[in-house]
Amino acid sequence: MAKQNVAELFVDTLVRAGVKRLYGVVGDSLNPVVDAVRRNDAIDWIHVRHEETAAFAAGAEAQITGRLTACAGSCGPGNVHLINGLYDAHRSMAPVLALASHIPSSEIGLGYFQETHPDRLFQECSHYSELISSPRQMPRLLDTAIQHAVGRRGVSVVALPGDIAGEPAPEKAAETAIVTSRPTVRPGDAEIDKLVRMIDEAEKVTLFCGSGTAGAHAEVMEFAGRIKAPVGHALRGKEFIQYDNPYDVGMSGLLGYGAAYEATHECDLLILLGTDFPYNAFLPTDVKIVQVDVRPENLGRRSKLDLAVWGDVRETLRCLVPRVREKENRRFLDRMLKKHADALEGVVKAYTRKVDKHIPIHPEYVAAVLDEVAAGDAVFTIDTGMCNVWGARYISPNGRRRIIGSFSHGSMANALPMAIGAQFTDRHRQVISMSGDGGFAMLMGDFLTLVQYDLPVKVVLFNNSSLSMVELEMMVAGLPAYGTGVRNPDFAAVARACGAHGVRVEKPKELTGALKDALRHRGPALVDVVTDPNALSIPPKISAEMVTGFALSASKMVLDGGVGRMVQMARSNLRNVPRP
């Protein structure tokens, strides 16, 4: 029997770690690994059209499944293309192993054709980035990379020269036990004791939640009910905390809505739960702040803390709930719930006037209808830009739906590639890419990947022939929009030319039927919706300088935007407010 080579041992190790797919583009230095995948029935090679897509797809699969995923790029330009998607995966705490194939080992450092230094290049977007310079390093180096990716939740990169990949693997290579899950982290008793005292002494407490509350919905709700705290969230916390939440006061930040901003500023004690919310301008400076996070490096880097608590949100709350004194006074909570409902009512009234007749179609209307017709367990992947606004305000989480996007890295063109990775995890689950025309066009080549693998992803394209979020940024700065208009093709015709279902919608009355038909279609589909380029959104709190900027850019109409079914939940929560 032929001796196993390094590439085969590499692939076997990935399989042992639970990797099901390797996303990438074949080529030269990567060929030994791709051939090893071809001969291994336990793993599939997923051929995408751009390596950036490979990294985004792997990151999305990791976020959906919680398991290690993998992507690969050939030497030089091939693996350099991975970097944007790897930044996103790393900042999203998605466990991803990236193979950066390398030039011949004898030529490293000599300015060889396509030479880069991937072990240096990817250091900032990974927990671990190292070069395999000898077959004797296998599989220990790869095992170490996997332990970093899974244990620390993020990216590991292994650079492997093509010639070494083809060399014989070491005799009797040791198989290290590989980490497949993380332990829970409980805070120390001293921190718990101090936090209990702070909560008991505070009259008005607000909880602000991020993605670290995943799996802790019940604990957050029990805690909020016990201390009568309004609950706001960041965008990444939306899918985990907004549903079945009688204490919900909306979202803060640039895409925010409702009373989350007021709740975080008018309390005595603000508790940040599992969030690395980056916009410190939206955080208060004159209230006590506690932060709970499983990553100690996140503690206190956005705001000054009165207490830093290192631990999982769920474990921390399980320690707290039995010990904190139940509060009787709910005046602060009720006032924030009322303010939240009033805020949502206001924007709904602004949005609902003749929206089903408006041409070009309001993008808010598209998102609202999509939310109604999509499956209860659908996965939504959302492009950066105005699609983030519509997703944040209209897509209703319910504990079964998933909502993922480039929420920490903020990259364009993420939605379609993420949909690819999400759909491979389950071909029978509805996956919907909410794509902007700018983002879709940037990586449009990978629409062909949907067709090639007959992935039933549904692309809902918000086509306003504009880079709307950039226009908004210019308006805030008091600048006229420049360089933001684009000339688009009929994207539905492009989809049909690729062999997929494609339909263009220009009238509101056609929208519901077109979306339902696309969602029923067995294969990939694209609905190209021509939307109003004037429909922008503003944060719930803006400065005087921002107002000046809008005034100077009055050529555009800025809408508050609606909030979809969230207003129904806010109205329902008001039933809990005692009547005087």
Side-chain angles (χ1 to χ4, degrees):
M1 187 174 73
K3 183 176 173 57
Q4 188 179 46
N5 65 22
V6 169
E8 292 167 329
L9 180 57
F10 191 101
V11 172
D12 285 349
T13 304
L14 291 182
V15 170
R16 188 161 53 90
V19 174
K20 306 293 184 184
R21 283 163 283 276
L22 187 55
Y23 298 89
V25 178
V26 299
D28 48 75
S29 57
L30 198 54
N31 289 341
V33 174
V34 176
D35 189 61
V37 172
R38 177 184 65 84
R39 290 180 281 106
N40 191 318
D41 292 337
I43 189 170
D44 292 323
W45 176 262
I46 305 300
H47 170 60
V48 296
R49 303 307 173 102
H50 195 291
E51 289 91 350
E52 183 177 351
T53 295
F56 272 125
E61 180 181 331
Q63 290 183 67
I64 295 296
T65 64
R67 298 192 304 263
L68 180 71
T69 60
C71 57
S74 58
C75 65
N79 64 57
V80 169
H81 285 160
L82 294 170
I83 195 165
N84 194 41
L86 293 184
Y87 260 103
D88 183 84
H90 194 55
R91 288 175 169 171
S92 300
M93 296 180 67
V96 173
L97 189 287
L99 169 58
S101 188
H102 208 351
I103 64 172
S105 57
S106 61
E107 303 299 327
I108 295 174
L110 300 174
Y112 190 71
F113 175 67
Q114 293 189 326
E115 181 175 9
T116 59
H117 292 87
D119 53 318
R120 304 178 200 168
L121 180 68
F122 295 100
Q123 283 183 352
E124 192 176 332
C125 63
S126 67
H127 291 305
Y128 184 87
S129 182
E130 291 292 346
L131 168 69
I132 295 178
S133 55
S134 164
R136 293 189 297 276
Q137 291 174 273
M138 278 290 292
R140 288 186 303 148
L141 189 144
L142 179 56
D143 287 345
T144 301
I146 291 170
Q147 311 287 43
H148 276 77
V150 175
R152 297 184 65 185
R153 305 300 284 185
V155 170
S156 284
V157 181
V158 174
L160 176 62
D163 59 315
I164 291 180
E167 290 185 16
E171 293 281 355
K172 298 179 181 179
E175 287 192 0
T176 302
I178 295 176
V179 168
T180 56
S181 62
R182 299 178 70 206
T184 56
V185 178
R186 181 195 182 279
D189 290 337
E191 285 72 27
I192 292 294
D193 290 343
K194 186 171 182 181
L195 182 50
V196 169
R197 288 196 299 272
M198 293 176 71
I199 294 169
D200 286 347
E201 291 169 2
E203 182 180 344
K204 300 176 291 184
V205 183
T206 293
L207 308 182
F208 187 70
C209 303
S211 61
T213 58
H217 183 273
E219 287 78 6
V220 174
M221 294 304 108
E222 183 181 7
F223 183 51
R226 188 168 183 82
I227 64 173
K228 308 301 184 286
V231 179
H233 62 268
L235 180 54
R236 288 194 66 200
K238 173 185 172 72
E239 63 175 321
F240 306 116
I241 216 68
Q242 187 194 32
Y243 69 96
D244 294 341
N245 181 355
Y247 317 105
D248 178 59
V249 291
M251 189 171 85
S252 191
L254 292 172
L255 312 184
Y257 55 83
Y261 182 92
E262 288 83 356
T264 56
H265 282 72
E266 297 180 25
C267 60
D268 302 323
L269 176 63
L270 173 61
I271 303 179
L272 307 174
L273 294 176
T275 178
D276 190 32
F277 182 68
Y279 303 107
N280 53 13
F282 288 87
L283 293 174
T285 58
D286 57 352
V287 304
K288 290 183 178 180
I289 301 179
V290 174
Q291 185 177 0
V292 180
D293 206 290
V294 73
R295 280 189 165 181
E297 65 269 26
N298 289 354
L299 296 170
R301 68 178 180 179
R302 308 300 182 192
S303 60
K304 182 180 177 181
L305 298 182
D306 295 273
L307 179 64
V309 180
W310 181 11
D312 296 317
V313 170
R314 185 168 64 176
E315 291 303 310
T316 302
L317 296 184
R318 285 177 173 176
C319 294
L320 281 175
V321 169
R323 297 190 53 188
V324 296
R325 189 167 57 244
E326 183 167 7
K327 296 186 185 297
E328 301 297 331
N329 187 337
R330 54 175 292 152
R331 284 195 296 271
F332 175 62
L333 170 61
D334 292 342
R335 182 161 61 86
M336 290 300 111
L337 290 175
K338 179 67 164 59
K339 187 170 287 190
H340 178 61
D342 289 346
L344 298 194
E345 289 279 4
V347 294
V348 165
K349 290 174 183 175
Y351 157 69
T352 52
R353 291 191 296 268
K354 300 182 180 179
V355 67
D356 58 344
K357 297 180 175 60
H358 184 86
I359 299 175
I361 301 171
H362 272 316
E364 302 99 320
Y365 181 61
V366 181
V369 174
L370 179 61
D371 182 55
E372 291 286 348
V373 300
D377 65 345
V379 177
F380 296 86
T381 62
I382 302 176
D383 256 343
T384 298
M386 295 310 298
C387 282
N388 266 194
V389 179
W390 317 137
R393 295 186 174 187
Y394 288 90
I395 301 306
S396 305
N398 57 13
R400 295 181 296 134
R401 285 178 168 180
R402 294 300 311 273
I403 304 169
I404 61 176
S406 187
F407 300 145
S408 296
H409 185 49
S411 174
M412 284 182 66
N414 63 285
L416 174 62
M418 285 181 166
I420 291 171
Q423 191 71 83
F424 267 115
T425 68
D426 185 351
R427 285 180 170 271
H428 301 290
R429 189 174 185 180
Q430 198 176 85
V431 176
I432 301 168
S433 171
M434 292 177 63
S435 297
D437 53 338
F440 180 77
M442 186 176 284
L443 285 176
M444 186 167 58
D446 268 294
F447 189 79
L448 295 170
T449 302
L450 302 184
V451 177
Q452 178 163 330
Y453 289 96
D454 196 29
L455 290 175
V457 169
K458 315 307 178 189
V459 178
V460 179
L461 187 59
F462 291 71
N463 181 3
N464 63 2
S465 299
S466 172
L467 303 179
S468 297
M469 186 62 80
V470 180
E471 286 196 7
L472 181 59
E473 294 164 354
M474 290 179 171
M475 292 170 65
V476 168
L479 301 173
Y482 182 75
T484 56
V486 293
R487 182 177 177 180
N488 287 328
D490 181 338
F491 286 111
V494 173
R496 292 193 296 271
C498 293
H501 173 85
V503 60
R504 186 175 174 90
V505 178
E506 298 180 355
K507 298 178 181 178
K509 65 180 181 181
E510 301 168 350
L511 180 64
T512 301
L515 289 175
K516 286 182 176 180
D517 288 346
L519 293 173
R520 282 193 295 262
H521 184 70
R522 290 181 178 274
L526 182 146
V527 181
D528 179 8
V529 187
V530 180
T531 59
D532 188 353
N534 294 318
L536 303 178
S537 179
I538 59 176
K541 290 292 181 181
I542 60 175
S543 66
E545 291 80 7
M546 287 181 175
V547 173
T548 301
F550 282 119
L552 292 174
S553 303
S555 60
K556 280 287 185 182
M557 174 181 60
V558 182
L559 304 178
D560 282 333
V563 287
R565 286 189 282 180
M566 282 186 289
V567 72
Q568 300 169 14
M569 186 173 72
R571 289 169 180 154
S572 177
N573 288 345
L574 279 182
R575 297 173 191 159
N576 299 318
V577 177
R579 293 290 182 260

